[in-house]
Amino acid sequence: MSKLTTLHEFIMDRQSDFPFASGELSRLLSDIAIASKVVSKDVRRAGLMEDILGAHGSTNIQGEEQQNLDVIADKAFINIFKAGGEVCGIASEENDDFMPFTSEFSKKGKYVVLFDPLDGSSNIDVNVSIGTIFSIYRRKSEVGTEATMEDMLQAGDDQVAAGYVLYGSSTMLVYTTGKGVNGFTLDPSIGEFCLSHPDMKMPENGRIYAMNEGNINICESGIKEYIETYCQQTLPGASRPYSGRYIGSLVADFHRNLIKGGIYIYPDTTTDPEGKLRLLYECNPLAFIAEQAGGLATNGRERILSIKPERLHQRVSYFVGSKTMMEQAMSFMK
Ligand code: AHG
Ligand code: MN
Ligand code: MN
């Protein structure tokens, strides 16, 4: 049997990809892996622990009811970032404003992290896959000072690394630093993430479409036309139409499409005129991974990664997936 490569070994081996890197990004990625193991442990026994399952009794800035796990995960990541010294500030779905870290130690950190601590909250109580999504940028402000809003509002193209953790039938961590995408599965018996999906590529075409189709009549008509024309017809050479699959945890829907090929659509609607998903900590990180794996991500017209953000919790219409399917869908968007 060949030796397993642990995430830690992999990160260390890849450090030379960044000629001037001093190891801080590597340490930050390792810290994220550690925090996600803590969260994974809680997710795995959520049904047994009253203080893990259920509502927290508070709402976040977006008016969404916070679940206990949203808050647990948020704290786990913030604590490790504060202790690590690589990060000078964060922004997350669960905090109204961005959070500059005020200690002298943290002010020396070169990076900011924007993250969705727990994606797919509505699936927690029903034992369906959930995840964590993160995006890392080099700060714009001077090292040694407090992080600023400008550090947070950078275009997706400026991400230095991004990834997600999927708490699914197994726990997986998938990330990119702009040199391809690699996936690691947590082996609970040794407590290590091990390389299981090297150099992930999204199939150029696929047969899965994912959308909350309850929204089909309150979004742009081009989307309905695309789905009726390509997804719900038996196309020449095929024996049946595409399959509709919608988990309702973006990270899980994305991961399936990354492996099998597919398209994910969450458009703006008459009820959510800017879309539902958040640009900075949901759409950008997954767009970076999609492009690195050969897929595409747009708001229906322009590349997600080119958008210059204006607000921390900015929402955006989101289309992401296999290149061919994306091009076909985009051709219906006027
Ligand atoms: P979160 O749990 O972080 O608030 O994200 C929920 C998001 C995303 O994960 C999911 O794909 C989408 O909301 C589901 O929305 P609908 O229930 O409107 O389909
Ligand atoms: Mn989310
Ligand atoms: Mn969330």
Side-chain angles (χ1 to χ4, degrees):
M1 195 181 89
S2 61
K3 184 189 170 299
L4 287 174
T5 304
T6 67
L7 173 64
H8 187 70
E9 286 168 337
F10 186 88
I11 291 171
M12 291 304 151
D13 287 350
R14 291 295 172 100
Q15 203 167 295
S16 55
D17 282 353
F18 308 98
F20 303 106
S22 50
E24 278 149 301
L25 182 61
S26 302
R27 283 200 295 280
L28 173 52
L29 290 167
S30 296
D31 283 351
I32 289 173
I34 293 169
S36 72
K37 284 188 222 175
V38 173
V39 174
S40 180
K41 180 202 71 188
D42 282 343
V43 169
R44 296 296 168 215
R45 55 193 187 118
L48 299 168
M49 311 291 289
E50 269 177 32
D51 52 343
I52 297 180
L53 220 55
H56 186 252
S58 48
T59 50
N60 65 19
I61 190 166
Q62 347 218 1
E64 297 160 346
E65 190 181 72
Q66 288 177 307
Q67 303 296 306
N68 279 326
L69 259 183
D70 287 323
V71 177
I72 291 170
D74 194 44
K75 284 192 183 141
F77 282 95
I78 290 174
N79 288 345
I80 204 147
F81 294 144
K82 278 189 178 166
E86 295 89 24
V87 177
C88 61
I90 61 102
S92 97
E93 181 187 345
E94 305 309 332
N95 294 282
D96 301 3
D97 216 338
F98 76 95
M99 193 186 285
F101 295 162
T102 50
S103 76
E104 292 307 315
F105 175 63
S106 290
K107 281 197 252 176
K108 293 198 190 100
K110 286 188 193 148
Y111 297 98
V112 294
V113 185
L114 294 90
F115 63 104
D116 179 353
L118 215 291
D119 175 64
S121 309
S122 70
N123 279 326
I124 297 171
D125 288 357
V126 291
N127 207 352
V128 172
S129 300
I130 49 182
T132 298
I133 313 174
F134 61 90
S135 174
I136 302 175
Y137 293 86
R138 208 162 275 122
R139 68 188 299 174
K140 291 269 177 202
S141 55
E142 207 178 311
V143 173
T145 63
E146 271 187 25
T148 63
M149 187 60 114
E150 198 199 355
D151 296 329
M152 307 292 159
L153 298 183
Q154 303 190 50
D157 269 327
D158 293 333
Q159 291 173 100
V160 293
Y164 60 85
V165 183
L166 177 63
Y167 313 103
S169 47
S170 60
T171 296
M172 270 195 80
L173 189 151
V174 175
Y175 82 99
T176 183
T177 54
K179 295 191 183 299
V181 179
N182 290 283
F184 302 80
T185 300
L186 181 62
D187 180 341
S189 66
I190 56 169
E192 292 275 10
F193 281 104
C194 297
L195 182 62
S196 52
H197 295 63
D199 197 19
M200 297 174 86
K201 293 281 177 239
M202 191 176 247
E204 210 169 297
N205 205 351
R207 302 187 45 78
I208 293 173
Y209 73 103
M211 176 183 170
N212 180 344
E213 280 190 82
N215 292 330
I216 199 76
N217 292 316
I218 56 165
C219 66
E220 218 168 307
S221 59
I223 294 170
K224 190 174 186 179
E225 284 166 34
Y226 161 69
I227 289 179
E228 285 175 352
T229 309
Y230 276 98
C231 307
Q232 299 178 335
Q233 300 290 331
T234 303
L235 298 173
S239 57
R240 49 179 291 195
Y242 291 174
S243 292
R245 292 280 184 276
Y246 188 72
I247 297 166
S249 296
L250 168 66
V251 66
D253 280 304
F254 176 85
H255 182 74
R256 181 204 52 238
N257 288 356
L258 172 61
I259 290 179
K260 294 193 166 183
I263 188 167
Y264 176 96
I265 303 175
Y266 208 118
D268 54 283
T269 62
T270 50
T271 49
D272 285 298
E274 300 194 311
K276 176 175 186 195
L277 300 175
R278 279 60 54 110
L279 173 62
L280 290 175
Y281 43 81
E282 293 181 313
C283 301
N284 267 339
L286 300 184
F288 189 17
I289 292 176
E291 286 198 2
Q292 283 291 314
L296 296 174
T298 74
N299 64 0
R301 286 161 189 86
E302 69 176 310
R303 271 175 83 239
I304 288 292
L305 297 179
S306 312
I307 299 173
K308 176 77 186 93
E310 288 165 8
R311 280 166 291 120
L312 224 42
H313 301 287
Q314 185 171 337
R315 295 171 191 265
V316 70
S317 210
Y318 199 43
F319 299 68
V320 64
S322 292
K323 188 165 176 285
T324 304
M325 298 178 91
M326 282 290 294
E327 285 165 356
Q328 285 161 345
M330 289 314 99
S331 72
F332 286 81
M333 304 300 292
K334 282 141 208 134

Coordinates of all heavy atoms in Angstrom, one line a residue, residues 242-301:
Y242 N -31.8 15.5 -18.3 CA -30.8 15.7 -17.2 C -31.6 15.3 -15.9 O -32.8 15.3 -15.8 CB -30.3 17.1 -17.0 CG -29.4 17.6 -18.2 CD1 -29.0 19.0 -18.2 CD2 -28.9 16.8 -19.1 CE1 -28.2 19.4 -19.2 CE2 -28.1 17.2 -20.1 CZ -27.7 18.6 -20.2 OH -26.9 19.1 -21.1
S243 N -30.8 15.2 -14.8 CA -31.3 14.9 -13.5 C -31.3 16.2 -12.7 O -30.3 16.9 -12.6 CB -30.5 13.9 -12.7 OG -30.7 12.6 -13.3
G244 N -32.4 16.5 -12.0 CA -32.5 17.7 -11.1 C -32.0 17.2 -9.7 O -32.5 16.1 -9.2
R245 N -31.1 17.9 -9.1 CA -30.6 17.5 -7.8 C -30.4 18.8 -7.0 O -29.7 19.7 -7.4 CB -29.2 16.8 -7.8 CG -29.2 15.5 -8.5 CD -29.7 14.4 -7.5 NE -29.6 13.1 -8.0 CZ -30.6 12.5 -8.8 NH1 -31.6 13.2 -9.1 NH2 -30.4 11.3 -9.2
Y246 N -31.1 19.0 -5.9 CA -30.9 20.2 -5.1 C -30.9 19.8 -3.6 O -31.9 19.4 -3.0 CB -32.0 21.2 -5.4 CG -31.8 22.5 -4.8 CD1 -30.9 23.4 -5.3 CD2 -32.6 22.9 -3.7 CE1 -30.6 24.6 -4.7 CE2 -32.4 24.2 -3.1 CZ -31.4 25.0 -3.6 OH -31.2 26.3 -3.0
I247 N -29.8 20.0 -3.0 CA -29.6 19.6 -1.6 C -30.1 20.8 -0.7 O -30.6 20.6 0.4 CB -28.1 19.2 -1.3 CG1 -27.8 18.0 -2.1 CG2 -27.9 19.0 0.2 CD1 -26.3 17.7 -2.2
G248 N -29.8 22.0 -1.1 CA -30.1 23.2 -0.3 C -29.0 23.6 0.6 O -29.1 24.4 1.5
S249 N -27.8 22.9 0.5 CA -26.6 23.4 1.1 C -25.6 23.7 -0.1 O -25.2 22.7 -0.8 CB -25.9 22.3 1.9 OG -26.7 22.0 3.0
L250 N -25.4 24.9 -0.4 CA -24.6 25.3 -1.6 C -23.3 24.5 -1.7 O -23.0 24.0 -2.7 CB -24.2 26.8 -1.5 CG -23.2 27.3 -2.4 CD1 -23.7 27.2 -3.9 CD2 -22.8 28.7 -2.1
V251 N -22.6 24.3 -0.6 CA -21.3 23.7 -0.6 C -21.5 22.2 -1.0 O -20.7 21.7 -1.8 CB -20.6 23.8 0.8 CG1 -21.3 23.1 1.9 CG2 -19.2 23.4 0.7
A252 N -22.6 21.5 -0.6 CA -22.8 20.1 -1.0 C -23.2 20.1 -2.5 O -22.8 19.2 -3.2 CB -23.8 19.5 -0.1
D253 N -24.1 21.0 -2.9 CA -24.5 21.0 -4.3 C -23.3 21.3 -5.2 O -23.1 20.7 -6.3 CB -25.6 22.0 -4.5 CG -27.0 21.6 -4.1 OD1 -27.4 20.5 -4.6 OD2 -27.6 22.2 -3.3
F254 N -22.4 22.2 -4.8 CA -21.3 22.5 -5.5 C -20.3 21.3 -5.6 O -19.8 21.0 -6.7 CB -20.5 23.7 -4.9 CG -19.3 24.1 -5.6 CD1 -19.3 24.9 -6.7 CD2 -18.0 23.6 -5.2 CE1 -18.1 25.2 -7.4 CE2 -16.9 23.9 -5.8 CZ -16.9 24.7 -6.9
H255 N -20.1 20.7 -4.5 CA -19.1 19.6 -4.5 C -19.6 18.4 -5.4 O -18.7 17.9 -6.1 CB -19.0 19.1 -3.0 CG -18.0 18.0 -2.8 ND1 -16.6 18.2 -2.9 CD2 -18.2 16.6 -2.6 CE1 -16.0 17.0 -2.7 NE2 -16.9 16.1 -2.5
R256 N -20.8 18.1 -5.3 CA -21.3 17.1 -6.2 C -21.1 17.4 -7.7 O -20.6 16.6 -8.5 CB -22.8 16.8 -6.0 CG -23.4 15.7 -6.9 CD -24.9 15.9 -7.0 NE -25.2 17.3 -7.5 CZ -26.0 18.1 -6.9 NH1 -26.6 17.8 -5.8 NH2 -26.1 19.4 -7.3
N257 N -21.4 18.7 -8.0 CA -21.2 19.1 -9.4 C -19.8 19.2 -9.8 O -19.4 18.9 -11.0 CB -21.9 20.5 -9.7 CG -23.4 20.4 -9.7 OD1 -24.0 19.3 -9.6 ND2 -24.1 21.5 -9.8
L258 N -18.9 19.5 -8.9 CA -17.5 19.5 -9.1 C -17.0 18.1 -9.5 O -16.2 17.9 -10.5 CB -16.7 20.0 -7.9 CG -15.2 20.0 -7.9 CD1 -14.6 20.8 -9.0 CD2 -14.6 20.4 -6.5
I259 N -17.5 17.1 -8.9 CA -17.1 15.8 -9.1 C -17.8 15.2 -10.3 O -17.1 14.6 -11.2 CB -17.3 14.9 -7.9 CG1 -16.3 15.3 -6.8 CG2 -17.1 13.4 -8.2 CD1 -16.3 14.6 -5.5
K260 N -19.1 15.4 -10.4 CA -19.9 14.7 -11.5 C -20.1 15.5 -12.7 O -20.5 15.0 -13.7 CB -21.2 14.2 -10.9 CG -21.1 13.2 -9.8 CD -22.5 12.6 -9.5 CE -22.4 11.3 -8.7 NZ -23.6 10.7 -8.5
G261 N -19.9 16.8 -12.6 CA -20.3 17.7 -13.7 C -21.7 18.1 -13.5 O -22.6 17.3 -13.2
G262 N -22.0 19.4 -13.6 CA -23.3 19.9 -13.5 C -23.4 21.5 -13.4 O -22.3 22.1 -13.5
I263 N -24.6 22.0 -13.2 CA -24.7 23.4 -13.1 C -25.5 23.7 -11.9 O -26.5 23.0 -11.5 CB -25.3 24.1 -14.4 CG1 -25.3 25.6 -14.3 CG2 -26.8 23.6 -14.6 CD1 -25.6 26.3 -15.6
Y264 N -25.2 24.8 -11.2 CA -25.9 25.3 -10.0 C -26.4 26.7 -10.3 O -25.6 27.5 -10.7 CB -25.0 25.3 -8.8 CG -25.7 25.8 -7.5 CD1 -26.3 25.0 -6.6 CD2 -25.7 27.2 -7.3 CE1 -26.9 25.5 -5.5 CE2 -26.4 27.7 -6.2 CZ -27.0 26.9 -5.3 OH -27.6 27.4 -4.2
I265 N -27.7 27.0 -10.0 CA -28.2 28.3 -10.3 C -29.0 28.8 -9.1 O -29.9 28.1 -8.6 CB -29.2 28.3 -11.5 CG1 -28.5 27.7 -12.8 CG2 -29.7 29.6 -11.8 CD1 -29.4 27.5 -14.0
Y266 N -28.6 30.0 -8.6 CA -29.4 30.7 -7.6 C -29.5 32.1 -8.1 O -28.7 33.0 -7.8 CB -28.9 30.6 -6.2 CG -30.1 30.7 -5.2 CD1 -30.4 29.7 -4.3 CD2 -30.9 31.8 -5.3 CE1 -31.5 29.8 -3.5 CE2 -32.0 31.9 -4.4 CZ -32.3 30.9 -3.6 OH -33.4 31.0 -2.8
P267 N -30.6 32.4 -8.9 CA -30.7 33.7 -9.5 C -31.3 34.7 -8.6 O -31.9 34.4 -7.5 CB -31.7 33.4 -10.7 CG -32.6 32.3 -10.2 CD -31.7 31.5 -9.2
D268 N -31.3 36.0 -9.0 CA -32.1 37.0 -8.3 C -33.6 36.7 -8.6 O -33.9 36.2 -9.7 CB -31.7 38.4 -8.6 CG -31.7 38.7 -10.1 OD1 -30.7 38.2 -10.8 OD2 -32.6 39.3 -10.6
T269 N -34.4 37.0 -7.7 CA -35.8 36.8 -7.9 C -36.6 38.0 -7.5 O -36.0 39.0 -6.9 CB -36.3 35.6 -6.9 OG1 -36.1 36.0 -5.6 CG2 -35.5 34.3 -7.2
T270 N -37.9 38.0 -7.7 CA -38.7 39.2 -7.3 C -38.7 39.4 -5.8 O -38.7 40.5 -5.2 CB -40.1 39.1 -7.8 OG1 -40.7 37.8 -7.4 CG2 -40.2 39.3 -9.3
T271 N -38.5 38.3 -5.0 CA -38.4 38.4 -3.6 C -37.0 38.7 -3.0 O -36.8 39.3 -2.0 CB -39.0 37.1 -2.9 OG1 -38.3 36.0 -3.5 CG2 -40.5 36.9 -3.0
D272 N -36.0 38.2 -3.8 CA -34.6 38.5 -3.4 C -34.0 39.2 -4.6 O -33.3 38.5 -5.4 CB -33.8 37.2 -3.1 CG -34.2 36.7 -1.7 OD1 -33.9 37.4 -0.7 OD2 -34.7 35.5 -1.7
P273 N -34.2 40.5 -4.8 CA -33.8 41.1 -6.1 C -32.3 41.1 -6.3 O -31.9 41.3 -7.5 CB -34.3 42.6 -5.9 CG -35.0 42.7 -4.6 CD -34.9 41.4 -3.9
E274 N -31.5 40.9 -5.3 CA -30.0 40.8 -5.6 C -29.5 39.4 -5.6 O -28.3 39.1 -5.6 CB -29.3 41.6 -4.5 CG -29.7 43.1 -4.5 CD -28.7 43.9 -3.7 OE1 -28.4 43.5 -2.6 OE2 -28.2 44.9 -4.3
G275 N -30.4 38.4 -5.4 CA -30.0 37.0 -5.3 C -30.0 36.7 -3.8 O -30.3 37.6 -3.0
K276 N -29.7 35.5 -3.5 CA -29.7 35.1 -2.0 C -28.3 34.9 -1.5 O -28.0 35.2 -0.4 CB -30.5 33.8 -1.9 CG -30.4 33.3 -0.4 CD -31.3 32.1 -0.1 CE -31.2 31.9 1.4 NZ -31.7 30.6 1.7
L277 N -27.4 34.4 -2.4 CA -26.1 34.0 -1.9 C -25.2 35.2 -1.8 O -25.3 36.1 -2.5 CB -25.5 32.9 -2.8 CG -26.4 31.7 -2.9 CD1 -25.8 30.7 -4.0 CD2 -26.5 30.9 -1.6
R278 N -24.2 35.1 -0.8 CA -23.4 36.2 -0.5 C -22.1 36.1 -1.3 O -21.4 35.1 -1.4 CB -23.0 36.2 1.0 CG -24.1 36.8 1.9 CD -25.5 36.2 1.9 NE -25.5 34.8 2.1 CZ -26.0 34.3 3.2 NH1 -26.5 35.0 4.2 NH2 -26.0 32.9 3.4
L279 N -21.7 37.2 -1.9 CA -20.6 37.3 -2.8 C -19.3 36.9 -2.1 O -18.5 36.1 -2.6 CB -20.5 38.7 -3.4 CG -19.2 39.0 -4.3 CD1 -19.2 38.1 -5.5 CD2 -19.2 40.5 -4.7
L280 N -19.0 37.5 -1.0 CA -17.7 37.5 -0.4 C -17.3 36.1 0.2 O -16.2 35.7 0.1 CB -17.5 38.6 0.7 CG -17.4 40.0 0.1 CD1 -17.4 41.0 1.1 CD2 -16.2 40.1 -0.9
Y281 N -18.3 35.5 0.9 CA -17.9 34.3 1.6 C -18.6 33.0 1.1 O -18.5 32.0 1.7 CB -18.0 34.5 3.1 CG -19.2 35.2 3.6 CD1 -20.4 34.5 3.7 CD2 -19.2 36.5 3.9 CE1 -21.6 35.2 4.1 CE2 -20.4 37.2 4.3 CZ -21.6 36.5 4.4 OH -22.7 37.2 4.8
E282 N -19.5 33.2 0.1 CA -20.1 32.0 -0.5 C -19.6 31.9 -2.0 O -19.1 30.9 -2.4 CB -21.6 32.0 -0.4 CG -22.0 31.9 1.1 CD -23.6 31.8 1.3 OE1 -24.3 32.7 0.6 OE2 -24.0 31.0 2.0
C283 N -20.0 32.9 -2.7 CA -19.8 32.8 -4.2 C -18.3 32.9 -4.6 O -17.9 32.1 -5.5 CB -20.6 33.9 -4.9 SG -22.4 33.7 -4.5
N284 N -17.6 33.9 -4.1 CA -16.2 34.1 -4.5 C -15.3 32.8 -4.3 O -14.6 32.4 -5.2 CB -15.5 35.3 -3.9 CG -15.7 36.6 -4.7 OD1 -15.9 36.5 -5.9 ND2 -15.6 37.7 -4.0
P285 N -15.3 32.3 -3.1 CA -14.4 31.1 -2.9 C -14.8 30.0 -3.8 O -13.9 29.3 -4.4 CB -14.6 30.8 -1.4 CG -15.6 31.7 -0.8 CD -15.9 32.8 -1.8
L286 N -16.1 29.7 -4.0 CA -16.4 28.6 -4.9 C -16.2 28.9 -6.3 O -15.9 28.0 -7.1 CB -17.9 28.2 -4.6 CG -18.2 27.7 -3.2 CD1 -19.6 27.2 -3.0 CD2 -17.2 26.6 -2.7
A287 N -16.3 30.2 -6.7 CA -16.0 30.6 -8.1 C -14.5 30.4 -8.4 O -14.1 29.9 -9.4 CB -16.3 32.0 -8.3
F288 N -13.6 30.7 -7.4 CA -12.2 30.5 -7.5 C -11.9 29.0 -7.7 O -11.2 28.6 -8.7 CB -11.5 31.0 -6.3 CG -10.0 31.1 -6.3 CD1 -9.3 31.1 -7.5 CD2 -9.3 31.3 -5.1 CE1 -7.9 31.2 -7.5 CE2 -7.9 31.4 -5.1 CZ -7.2 31.3 -6.3
I289 N -12.5 28.2 -6.9 CA -12.3 26.7 -7.1 C -12.8 26.2 -8.4 O -12.2 25.5 -9.1 CB -13.0 26.0 -5.9 CG1 -12.2 26.3 -4.6 CG2 -13.0 24.5 -6.1 CD1 -12.8 25.7 -3.4
A290 N -14.0 26.7 -8.8 CA -14.6 26.3 -10.1 C -13.7 26.6 -11.2 O -13.4 25.7 -12.0 CB -16.0 26.9 -10.3
E291 N -13.2 27.8 -11.3 CA -12.3 28.2 -12.4 C -11.0 27.4 -12.4 O -10.5 27.0 -13.4 CB -12.0 29.7 -12.4 CG -13.2 30.6 -12.8 CD -12.9 32.0 -13.2 OE1 -11.7 32.3 -13.2 OE2 -13.8 32.8 -13.5
Q292 N -10.5 27.2 -11.2 CA -9.3 26.4 -11.1 C -9.5 25.0 -11.5 O -8.5 24.3 -11.9 CB -8.8 26.4 -9.6 CG -8.1 27.7 -9.2 CD -6.8 27.9 -10.0 OE1 -6.0 27.0 -10.0 NE2 -6.5 29.1 -10.5
A293 N -10.7 24.5 -11.4 CA -11.0 23.1 -11.8 C -11.5 23.1 -13.3 O -11.9 22.0 -13.7 CB -12.0 22.5 -10.9
G294 N -11.5 24.2 -14.0 CA -12.0 24.2 -15.4 C -13.4 24.6 -15.6 O -13.9 24.6 -16.7
G295 N -14.1 25.0 -14.5 CA -15.5 25.4 -14.7 C -15.6 26.9 -14.8 O -14.6 27.6 -14.9
L296 N -16.8 27.4 -14.7 CA -17.1 28.8 -14.8 C -18.0 29.3 -13.7 O -18.8 28.4 -13.2 CB -17.7 29.2 -16.2 CG -16.9 28.9 -17.4 CD1 -17.8 29.2 -18.7 CD2 -15.7 29.8 -17.4
A297 N -18.0 30.6 -13.3 CA -18.9 31.1 -12.4 C -19.2 32.5 -12.8 O -18.3 33.4 -13.0 CB -18.3 31.1 -11.0
T298 N -20.5 32.9 -12.9 CA -21.0 34.2 -13.3 C -22.2 34.6 -12.5 O -22.8 33.8 -11.8 CB -21.4 34.2 -14.8 OG1 -22.6 33.6 -14.9 CG2 -20.4 33.5 -15.7
N299 N -22.6 35.9 -12.7 CA -23.8 36.4 -12.1 C -24.9 36.3 -13.2 O -25.9 37.0 -13.1 CB -23.7 37.8 -11.5 CG -23.3 38.8 -12.6 OD1 -23.2 38.5 -13.8 ND2 -23.2 40.1 -12.2
G300 N -24.7 35.6 -14.2 CA -25.6 35.5 -15.4 C -25.0 36.3 -16.6 O -25.3 36.0 -17.7
R301 N -24.1 37.2 -16.3 CA -23.5 38.0 -17.3 C -22.0 38.2 -17.2 O -21.2 37.9 -18.1 CB -24.1 39.4 -17.3 CG -25.5 39.4 -17.9 CD -26.4 40.6 -17.5 NE -27.7 40.3 -18.0 CZ -28.6 39.6 -17.2 NH1 -28.3 39.2 -16.0 NH2 -29.8 39.4 -17.7

